[in-house]
Amino acid sequence: MMRIVVVCGAGASSTFAALRIRRAAEARGIAADVRAAGEQTLADALDGADALLVGVHLVPRLDALEQLATAASVPVAVLPGETRALDGDAALDLAIAIIGARA
């Protein structure tokens, strides 16, 4: 089972994104644990994660987020576009791609 963490500032919009990604995974028959996290809880959320997807509005803080992810050996990608309008399939594909690139 792959574990994907989605982060936004406080965790609200990442909850919507995580739900869409989870639904996309279920529709494809992919076992995935998709969790939302805020910046404040990210370090704990990365424990055991396979991928970190970052909301585009956090790009100004991407260096700090990448440092946390690197310390946890988790690959990072920035979600395309607005997190609330996220296409769950596209985000799932992005997570699969960065997980595959790490392998």
Side-chain angles (χ1 to χ4, degrees):
M1 173 177 291
M2 80 174 94
R3 183 150 174 254
I4 302 167
V5 176
V6 182
V7 67
C8 71
S13 59
S14 60
T15 299
F16 294 114
L19 177 61
R20 288 188 179 115
I21 297 167
R22 193 175 307 119
R23 287 181 181 159
E26 288 171 2
R28 295 188 200 181
I30 297 172
D33 176 10
V34 186
R35 299 181 184 191
E39 284 184 272
Q40 301 301 323
T41 61
L42 182 58
D44 290 334
L46 288 173
D47 185 34
D50 297 305
L52 172 62
L53 301 179
V54 178
V56 69
H57 59 283
L58 291 180
V59 167
R61 295 189 289 283
L62 188 58
D63 286 344
L65 298 172
E66 286 178 329
Q67 287 178 4
L68 286 173
T70 298
S73 299
V74 177
V76 180
V78 175
L79 290 166
E82 174 60 40
T83 307
R84 289 184 200 157
L86 180 73
D87 177 336
D89 283 304
L92 179 60
D93 289 340
L94 180 59
I96 291 169
I98 65 172
I99 290 168
R102 178 180 71 168

XYZ file of all heavy atoms in Angstrom:
720
model
N 0.844 -1.177 0.000
C 0.000 0.000 0.000
C 0.889 1.240 0.000
O 1.814 1.339 0.788
C -0.887 0.010 1.248
C -1.661 1.305 1.377
S -2.804 1.415 2.770
C -4.029 0.243 2.298
N 0.574 2.165 -0.901
C 1.341 3.404 -0.921
C 0.709 4.411 0.029
O -0.496 4.399 0.240
C 1.452 3.958 -2.333
C 0.261 4.713 -2.832
S 0.551 5.476 -4.424
C -0.092 4.207 -5.468
N 1.559 5.240 0.614
C 1.090 6.252 1.558
C 1.458 7.624 1.010
O 2.638 7.921 0.810
C 1.715 6.039 2.920
C 1.189 7.021 3.929
C 1.191 6.447 5.332
N 0.797 7.508 6.218
C 1.628 8.151 7.019
N 2.897 7.822 7.092
N 1.187 9.125 7.776
N 0.428 8.437 0.778
C 0.592 9.768 0.195
C 0.145 10.808 1.211
O -0.921 10.688 1.813
C -0.259 9.908 -1.084
C 0.120 8.832 -2.104
C -0.133 11.312 -1.666
C -0.869 8.692 -3.249
N 0.967 11.836 1.397
C 0.627 12.953 2.269
C 0.430 14.186 1.396
O 1.248 14.473 0.521
C 1.728 13.216 3.320
C 1.396 14.449 4.159
C 1.924 11.994 4.206
N -0.669 14.897 1.630
C -0.964 16.141 0.921
C -0.903 17.253 1.954
O -1.541 17.170 3.001
C -2.370 16.099 0.277
C -2.627 17.381 -0.501
C -2.530 14.875 -0.602
N -0.124 18.305 1.665
C 0.028 19.401 2.628
C -0.433 20.725 2.035
O -0.212 21.019 0.861
C 1.493 19.519 3.133
C 2.433 19.939 2.030
C 1.595 20.468 4.307
N -1.137 21.476 2.881
C -1.454 22.868 2.579
C -1.142 23.648 3.851
O -0.613 23.077 4.805
C -2.914 23.022 2.153
S -4.102 22.800 3.469
N -1.442 24.893 3.885
C -1.076 25.701 5.044
C -1.616 25.185 6.362
O -0.876 24.871 7.278
N -2.940 25.074 6.470
C -3.557 24.671 7.731
C -4.136 23.268 7.685
O -4.489 22.713 8.704
C -4.650 25.660 8.104
N -4.272 22.696 6.505
C -4.800 21.346 6.390
C -6.208 21.264 5.830
O -6.696 20.181 5.542
N -6.886 22.396 5.657
C -8.271 22.369 5.189
C -8.366 21.967 3.711
O -9.053 21.004 3.374
C -8.934 23.716 5.418
N -7.691 22.688 2.830
C -7.797 22.352 1.410
C -7.111 21.025 1.095
O -7.512 20.319 0.178
C -7.260 23.478 0.527
O -5.914 23.746 0.810
N -6.104 20.656 1.877
C -5.456 19.370 1.641
C -6.395 18.213 1.972
O -6.285 17.134 1.398
C -4.155 19.242 2.434
O -4.385 19.359 3.812
N -7.362 18.439 2.855
C -8.348 17.410 3.164
C -9.199 17.114 1.933
O -9.468 15.946 1.623
C -9.243 17.850 4.347
O -8.399 18.052 5.486
C -10.296 16.816 4.670
N -9.619 18.153 1.209
C -10.382 17.961 -0.021
C -9.538 17.234 -1.067
O -10.008 16.329 -1.750
C -10.853 19.298 -0.593
C -11.850 19.994 0.270
C -11.531 21.188 0.886
C -13.112 19.466 0.473
C -12.441 21.839 1.695
C -14.037 20.107 1.280
C -13.705 21.303 1.895
N -8.274 17.634 -1.200
C -7.383 17.008 -2.170
C -7.162 15.534 -1.828
O -7.214 14.669 -2.702
C -6.050 17.744 -2.215
N -6.925 15.243 -0.561
C -6.701 13.859 -0.136
C -7.921 13.001 -0.439
O -7.786 11.857 -0.906
C -6.361 13.804 1.353
N -9.101 13.529 -0.215
C -10.326 12.784 -0.507
C -10.432 12.464 -1.995
O -10.749 11.338 -2.378
C -11.544 13.592 -0.045
C -12.900 12.972 -0.337
C -13.045 11.623 0.364
C -14.022 13.914 0.087
N -10.128 13.443 -2.844
C -10.199 13.211 -4.297
C -9.158 12.177 -4.749
O -9.432 11.344 -5.597
C -10.009 14.525 -5.036
C -11.211 15.424 -4.894
C -11.095 16.652 -5.784
N -12.283 17.458 -5.624
C -12.290 18.675 -5.106
N -11.165 19.225 -4.708
N -13.412 19.349 -4.999
N -7.969 12.247 -4.185
C -6.924 11.279 -4.535
C -7.311 9.886 -4.046
O -7.152 8.895 -4.763
C -5.562 11.707 -3.959
C -5.130 13.042 -4.567
C -4.511 10.630 -4.198
C -3.971 13.706 -3.839
N -7.844 9.803 -2.843
C -8.291 8.522 -2.287
C -9.374 7.901 -3.172
O -9.342 6.705 -3.477
C -8.821 8.741 -0.867
C -9.023 7.467 -0.082
C -9.441 7.748 1.368
N -8.540 8.671 2.052
C -8.893 9.853 2.552
N -10.146 10.276 2.471
N -8.009 10.608 3.166
N -10.338 8.708 -3.612
C -11.404 8.210 -4.500
C -10.845 7.734 -5.829
O -11.278 6.718 -6.362
C -12.448 9.300 -4.727
C -13.320 9.530 -3.527
C -14.349 10.598 -3.821
N -15.184 10.845 -2.659
C -15.887 11.951 -2.471
N -15.852 12.922 -3.374
N -16.629 12.096 -1.403
N -9.874 8.463 -6.372
C -9.246 8.060 -7.631
C -8.534 6.725 -7.468
O -8.624 5.848 -8.338
C -8.275 9.136 -8.117
N -7.832 6.548 -6.356
C -7.134 5.292 -6.097
C -8.125 4.143 -5.962
O -7.923 3.058 -6.541
C -6.269 5.415 -4.840
N -9.206 4.357 -5.226
C -10.224 3.320 -5.055
C -10.831 2.923 -6.399
O -11.038 1.745 -6.668
C -11.314 3.797 -4.098
C -10.873 3.879 -2.657
C -11.897 4.555 -1.747
O -12.993 4.943 -2.220
O -11.585 4.712 -0.554
N -11.100 3.921 -7.244
C -11.688 3.650 -8.555
C -10.766 2.808 -9.435
O -11.225 2.034 -10.270
C -12.027 4.968 -9.262
N -9.462 2.941 -9.227
C -8.480 2.174 -9.999
C -8.079 0.872 -9.323
O -7.285 0.116 -9.860
C -7.218 3.000 -10.206
C -7.401 4.229 -11.035
C -6.041 4.825 -11.299
N -6.095 6.205 -11.676
C -5.017 6.916 -11.976
N -3.820 6.374 -11.913
N -5.131 8.190 -12.314
N -8.580 0.649 -8.126
C -8.209 -0.549 -7.395
C -6.803 -0.492 -6.829
O -6.159 -1.518 -6.615
N -6.332 0.717 -6.553
C -4.991 0.918 -6.000
C -5.107 1.093 -4.490
O -5.889 1.921 -4.011
C -4.315 2.156 -6.618
C -4.116 1.948 -8.117
C -2.998 2.473 -5.922
C -3.633 3.191 -8.853
N -4.348 0.317 -3.754
C -4.330 0.447 -2.291
C -3.507 1.671 -1.922
O -2.300 1.705 -2.159
C -3.743 -0.804 -1.662
N -4.168 2.670 -1.374
C -3.470 3.908 -1.016
C -4.035 4.483 0.272
O -5.243 4.548 0.460
C -3.604 4.936 -2.135
N -3.139 4.888 1.131
C -3.474 5.616 2.351
C -3.114 7.070 2.049
O -1.936 7.398 1.926
C -2.649 5.066 3.518
C -2.858 5.843 4.808
O -3.773 6.690 4.878
O -2.088 5.606 5.757
N -4.128 7.904 1.878
C -3.909 9.298 1.508
C -4.340 10.171 2.672
O -5.488 10.105 3.106
C -4.703 9.675 0.239
C -4.347 11.091 -0.210
C -4.455 8.668 -0.879
N -3.401 10.953 3.177
C -3.661 11.773 4.358
C -3.386 13.239 4.091
O -2.466 13.579 3.364
C -2.773 11.327 5.512
C -3.038 9.902 5.907
C -2.185 9.486 7.037
N -2.412 8.059 7.315
C -1.974 7.447 8.364
N -1.249 8.092 9.251
N -2.233 6.181 8.547
N -4.164 14.076 4.744
C -3.962 15.522 4.689
C -3.140 15.947 5.898
O -3.238 15.351 6.967
C -5.312 16.228 4.706
N -2.330 16.977 5.699
C -1.542 17.518 6.803
C -1.408 19.023 6.628
O -1.394 19.525 5.506
C -0.152 16.886 6.843
N -1.305 19.707 7.740
C -0.972 21.123 7.724
C 0.530 21.253 7.904
O 1.213 20.286 8.250
N 1.039 22.427 7.678
C 2.487 22.632 7.838
C 2.957 22.287 9.253
O 4.048 21.762 9.430
C 2.850 24.081 7.530
C 2.867 24.402 6.066
C 3.334 25.815 5.839
O 2.482 26.733 5.856
O 4.559 26.011 5.655
N 2.133 22.580 10.232
C 2.530 22.359 11.623
C 2.661 20.882 11.976
O 3.406 20.522 12.885
C 1.522 23.024 12.569
C 1.375 24.513 12.366
C 2.689 25.258 12.550
O 3.498 24.926 13.398
N 2.915 26.273 11.725
N 1.933 20.015 11.276
C 1.942 18.578 11.594
C 2.686 17.749 10.553
O 2.694 16.529 10.637
C 0.502 18.050 11.713
O -0.178 18.233 10.464
C -0.256 18.770 12.820
N 3.312 18.416 9.607
C 3.919 17.710 8.488
C 5.029 16.749 8.900
O 5.088 15.617 8.405
C 4.448 18.693 7.447
C 5.060 18.062 6.197
C 4.042 17.151 5.498
C 5.564 19.120 5.254
N 5.900 17.148 9.773
C 7.022 16.276 10.163
C 6.520 14.925 10.662
O 7.043 13.877 10.264
C 7.882 16.958 11.216
N 5.490 14.920 11.484
C 4.928 13.657 11.977
C 4.219 12.891 10.866
O 4.310 11.670 10.796
C 3.946 13.915 13.125
C 4.636 14.391 14.388
O 5.829 14.073 14.581
O 3.979 15.086 15.182
N 3.517 13.606 9.999
C 2.764 12.961 8.921
C 3.678 12.261 7.919
O 3.269 11.300 7.267
C 1.895 13.986 8.201
N 4.911 12.722 7.780
C 5.838 12.130 6.813
C 6.398 10.776 7.255
O 6.943 10.046 6.430
C 6.995 13.093 6.542
C 6.636 14.324 5.721
C 7.812 15.280 5.676
C 6.198 13.931 4.325
N 6.233 10.426 8.511
C 6.735 9.147 9.009
C 6.043 8.004 8.264
O 4.830 7.836 8.358
C 6.489 9.033 10.517
C 7.110 7.784 11.100
O 8.186 7.371 10.624
O 6.510 7.216 12.034
N 6.810 7.253 7.491
C 6.274 6.125 6.734
C 5.637 6.484 5.409
O 5.092 5.623 4.723
N 5.693 7.759 5.022
C 5.071 8.190 3.763
C 5.920 7.797 2.561
O 7.141 7.658 2.652
C 4.854 9.698 3.772
N 5.254 7.629 1.428
C 5.927 7.323 0.162
C 6.020 8.531 -0.754
O 6.852 8.564 -1.654
C 5.178 6.208 -0.578
C 5.182 4.909 0.187
O 6.281 4.430 0.526
O 4.092 4.378 0.471
N 5.136 9.526 -0.542
C 5.124 10.717 -1.400
C 4.520 11.884 -0.637
O 3.599 11.702 0.163
C 4.322 10.459 -2.670
N 5.041 13.068 -0.916
C 4.485 14.307 -0.385
C 4.048 15.170 -1.557
O 4.852 15.490 -2.433
C 5.516 15.069 0.455
C 5.092 16.470 0.908
C 3.861 16.409 1.813
C 6.251 17.182 1.592
N 2.769 15.527 -1.569
C 2.234 16.434 -2.574
C 1.938 17.759 -1.893
O 1.260 17.809 -0.862
C 0.958 15.855 -3.194
C 1.127 14.494 -3.879
C -0.215 14.009 -4.431
C 2.171 14.564 -4.982
N 2.465 18.834 -2.468
C 2.413 20.163 -1.861
C 1.465 21.055 -2.652
O 1.558 21.133 -3.886
C 3.826 20.798 -1.854
C 3.791 22.201 -1.277
C 4.800 19.909 -1.087
N 0.556 21.743 -1.947
C -0.329 22.710 -2.590
C 0.465 23.829 -3.238
O 1.470 24.289 -2.676
N 0.020 24.261 -4.410
C 0.759 25.262 -5.182
C 0.939 26.566 -4.407
O 1.942 27.260 -4.587
C 0.072 25.508 -6.552
C -1.257 26.216 -6.404
C 0.992 26.252 -7.492
N 0.027 26.881 -3.510
C 0.144 28.122 -2.740
C 1.283 28.069 -1.717
O 1.654 29.086 -1.158
C -1.184 28.444 -2.050
C -1.654 27.378 -1.125
N -2.231 26.208 -1.577
C -1.610 27.282 0.219
C -2.528 25.448 -0.546
N -2.159 26.066 0.556
N 1.862 26.883 -1.519
C 2.999 26.766 -0.596
C 4.360 26.816 -1.299
O 5.387 26.647 -0.647
C 2.901 25.455 0.200
C 1.770 25.385 1.208
C 1.783 24.049 1.925
C 1.868 26.507 2.216
N 4.373 27.070 -2.577
C 5.636 27.133 -3.318
C 6.633 28.105 -2.683
O 7.824 27.799 -2.628
C 5.387 27.445 -4.815
C 6.666 27.820 -5.533
C 4.732 26.237 -5.488
N 6.201 29.259 -2.147
C 7.182 30.138 -1.507
C 7.902 29.485 -0.317
O 8.983 29.908 0.056
C 6.352 31.341 -1.045
C 5.183 31.364 -1.976
C 4.884 29.915 -2.247
N 7.312 28.447 0.269
C 7.930 27.759 1.402
C 8.415 26.351 1.030
O 8.679 25.515 1.898
C 6.937 27.690 2.560
C 6.610 29.076 3.106
C 5.811 29.047 4.379
N 4.425 28.618 4.249
C 3.423 29.359 3.788
N 3.644 30.584 3.380
N 2.198 28.890 3.746
N 8.550 26.109 -0.261
C 8.898 24.778 -0.744
C 10.245 24.287 -0.223
O 10.383 23.112 0.118
C 8.879 24.745 -2.279
C 9.036 23.376 -2.923
C 7.948 22.412 -2.456
C 9.012 23.507 -4.441
N 11.230 25.169 -0.117
C 12.545 24.737 0.373
C 12.453 24.101 1.757
O 13.024 23.039 2.008
C 13.532 25.909 0.410
C 14.006 26.319 -0.974
O 13.833 25.531 -1.924
O 14.548 27.428 -1.094
N 11.713 24.729 2.659
C 11.569 24.198 4.019
C 10.812 22.875 4.014
O 11.169 21.936 4.735
C 10.852 25.203 4.911
N 9.791 22.774 3.176
C 9.021 21.532 3.084
C 9.871 20.410 2.501
O 9.808 19.262 2.961
C 7.767 21.747 2.237
C 6.770 22.780 2.774
C 5.671 23.039 1.763
C 6.209 22.342 4.104
N 10.673 20.746 1.498
C 11.567 19.746 0.904
C 12.610 19.271 1.907
O 12.980 18.094 1.891
C 12.243 20.306 -0.349
C 11.310 20.391 -1.534
C 11.964 20.987 -2.760
O 12.867 21.845 -2.618
O 11.569 20.590 -3.879
N 13.079 20.148 2.765
C 14.045 19.736 3.791
C 13.434 18.709 4.734
O 14.075 17.711 5.070
C 14.542 20.948 4.576
C 15.489 21.818 3.788
C 15.927 23.052 4.576
O 15.585 23.220 5.747
N 16.676 23.917 3.920
N 12.194 18.948 5.162
C 11.502 17.979 6.015
C 11.332 16.645 5.292
O 11.565 15.575 5.856
C 10.124 18.501 6.433
C 10.075 19.593 7.477
C 8.650 20.110 7.636
C 10.602 19.078 8.801
N 10.923 16.710 4.027
C 10.702 15.496 3.250
C 12.005 14.748 3.005
O 12.048 13.517 3.103
C 10.024 15.838 1.930
N 13.062 15.468 2.714
C 14.361 14.841 2.496
C 14.832 14.123 3.754
O 15.345 13.003 3.687
C 15.403 15.884 2.044
O 14.962 16.445 0.798
C 16.775 15.260 1.864
N 14.634 14.747 4.897
C 15.020 14.127 6.173
C 14.257 12.828 6.405
O 14.770 11.907 7.039
C 14.787 15.091 7.325
N 13.034 12.738 5.859
C 12.218 11.532 6.004
C 12.333 10.602 4.799
O 11.625 9.602 4.724
C 10.755 11.925 6.217
N 13.206 10.952 3.832
C 13.395 10.170 2.596
C 12.101 10.027 1.803
O 11.770 8.947 1.294
C 13.976 8.792 2.905
O 15.230 8.909 3.514
N 11.364 11.131 1.680
C 10.090 11.138 0.970
C 10.205 12.079 -0.233
O 10.556 13.251 -0.064
C 8.944 11.611 1.899
C 7.630 11.694 1.143
C 8.821 10.673 3.099
N 9.904 11.588 -1.448
C 9.941 12.464 -2.624
C 8.787 13.468 -2.594
O 7.717 13.188 -2.042
C 9.809 11.494 -3.801
C 9.116 10.299 -3.238
C 9.541 10.213 -1.797
N 9.032 14.628 -3.215
C 8.091 15.751 -3.175
C 7.714 16.183 -4.579
O 8.552 16.199 -5.482
C 8.741 16.966 -2.463
C 7.784 18.140 -2.408
C 9.223 16.590 -1.079
N 6.445 16.581 -4.734
C 5.999 17.211 -5.977
C 4.971 18.270 -5.625
O 4.245 18.148 -4.630
C 5.389 16.189 -6.928
N 4.914 19.315 -6.435
C 3.935 20.381 -6.255
C 2.707 20.038 -7.081
O 2.819 19.692 -8.266
C 4.509 21.745 -6.684
C 3.446 22.837 -6.601
C 5.719 22.105 -5.830
N 1.544 20.116 -6.445
C 0.292 19.856 -7.146
C 0.038 20.945 -8.179
O 0.289 22.121 -7.910
C -0.872 19.820 -6.147
C -0.888 18.622 -5.215
C -1.853 18.855 -4.070
C -1.246 17.365 -5.986
N -0.470 20.556 -9.332
C -0.774 21.559 -10.350
C -2.068 22.290 -10.012
O -3.061 21.682 -9.648
C -0.942 20.722 -11.624
C -1.394 19.385 -11.128
C -0.731 19.203 -9.787
N -2.049 23.591 -10.080
C -3.267 24.376 -9.910
C -3.777 24.454 -8.483
O -3.113 24.067 -7.534
N -4.968 24.968 -8.358
C -5.620 25.202 -7.065
C -5.998 23.884 -6.398
O -6.606 23.014 -7.014
C -6.877 26.060 -7.276
C -7.726 26.263 -6.060
C -6.998 26.946 -4.918
O -6.224 27.878 -5.178
O -7.212 26.539 -3.762
N -5.635 23.726 -5.156
C -5.853 22.477 -4.431
C -7.333 22.130 -4.321
O -7.714 20.975 -4.450
C -5.235 22.556 -3.015
O -3.873 22.957 -3.151
C -5.284 21.228 -2.319
N -8.182 23.104 -4.128
C -9.614 22.821 -3.972
C -10.240 22.300 -5.257
O -11.244 21.600 -5.210
C -10.354 24.070 -3.515
C -10.028 24.427 -2.098
C -10.843 25.596 -1.629
N -10.179 26.182 -0.479
C -10.338 27.399 -0.074
N -11.144 28.201 -0.709
N -9.702 27.840 0.973
N -9.700 22.660 -6.412
C -10.237 22.228 -7.698
C -9.433 21.070 -8.275
O -9.518 20.779 -9.460
C -10.238 23.403 -8.673
N -8.673 20.411 -7.450
C -7.736 19.385 -7.878
C -8.409 18.208 -8.567
O -9.438 17.718 -8.109
C -6.975 18.875 -6.651
C -5.938 17.794 -6.908
C -4.727 18.406 -7.585
C -5.534 17.154 -5.602
N -7.796 17.738 -9.633
C -8.194 16.508 -10.311
C -7.513 15.359 -9.565
O -6.285 15.240 -9.574
C -7.734 16.567 -11.765
C -8.028 15.295 -12.553
O -8.161 14.211 -11.940
O -8.112 15.386 -13.773
N -8.280 14.522 -8.904
C -7.731 13.432 -8.109
C -6.901 12.454 -8.919
O -5.876 11.961 -8.449
N -7.336 12.176 -10.162
C -6.574 11.254 -11.007
C -5.211 11.826 -11.369
O -4.207 11.113 -11.324
C -7.362 10.923 -12.285
C -8.473 9.929 -12.027
O -8.179 8.835 -11.508
O -9.631 10.246 -12.337
N -5.164 13.099 -11.718
C -3.891 13.725 -12.076
C -2.943 13.753 -10.879
O -1.741 13.503 -11.010
C -4.128 15.137 -12.607
N -3.492 14.046 -9.699
C -2.658 14.075 -8.492
C -2.156 12.677 -8.144
O -1.000 12.508 -7.748
C -3.439 14.659 -7.326
N -3.001 11.665 -8.307
C -2.581 10.284 -8.061
C -1.474 9.898 -9.032
O -0.469 9.291 -8.638
C -3.770 9.330 -8.181
C -3.467 7.852 -7.973
C -2.893 7.582 -6.585
C -4.733 7.034 -8.212
N -1.634 10.266 -10.293
C -0.587 9.981 -11.289
C 0.734 10.644 -10.905
O 1.805 10.055 -11.059
C -1.018 10.460 -12.678
C -2.125 9.619 -13.278
O -2.326 8.457 -12.833
O -2.800 10.114 -14.211
N 0.660 11.865 -10.396
C 1.858 12.588 -9.976
C 2.542 11.849 -8.824
O 3.759 11.658 -8.832
C 1.483 14.011 -9.561
C 2.600 14.925 -9.095
C 3.662 15.103 -10.180
C 2.017 16.284 -8.692
N 1.755 11.411 -7.844
C 2.325 10.671 -6.716
C 2.963 9.370 -7.185
O 4.083 9.042 -6.774
C 1.244 10.384 -5.669
N 2.295 8.654 -8.054
C 2.840 7.392 -8.571
C 4.143 7.650 -9.314
O 5.115 6.898 -9.175
C 1.809 6.682 -9.477
C 0.639 6.174 -8.614
C 2.448 5.548 -10.256
C -0.565 5.699 -9.407
N 4.184 8.739 -10.066
C 5.401 9.068 -10.823
C 6.581 9.362 -9.906
O 7.697 8.874 -10.144
C 5.136 10.262 -11.738
N 6.361 10.128 -8.839
C 7.510 10.450 -7.975
C 7.905 9.261 -7.109
O 9.070 9.118 -6.772
C 7.301 11.737 -7.138
C 6.169 11.595 -6.133
C 7.106 12.940 -8.046
C 6.063 12.765 -5.157
N 6.952 8.415 -6.781
C 7.292 7.199 -6.041
C 8.120 6.280 -6.936
O 9.129 5.727 -6.518
C 6.024 6.485 -5.538
C 5.368 7.302 -4.420
C 6.372 5.077 -5.018
C 3.971 6.846 -4.058
N 7.702 6.165 -8.197
C 8.426 5.330 -9.164
C 9.816 5.857 -9.450
O 10.758 5.088 -9.633
N 9.957 7.178 -9.481
C 11.263 7.779 -9.739
C 12.241 7.500 -8.605
O 13.438 7.442 -8.814
C 11.105 9.291 -9.948
N 11.697 7.349 -7.402
C 12.544 7.082 -6.239
C 13.012 5.629 -6.216
O 14.084 5.318 -5.711
C 11.769 7.397 -4.955
C 12.565 7.110 -3.701
C 11.808 7.421 -2.469
N 10.734 6.460 -2.261
C 10.038 6.347 -1.161
N 10.259 7.167 -0.166
N 9.095 5.471 -1.033
N 12.181 4.740 -6.747
C 12.495 3.296 -6.678
C 13.674 2.890 -7.528
O 14.162 3.520 -8.362
C 11.272 2.500 -7.096
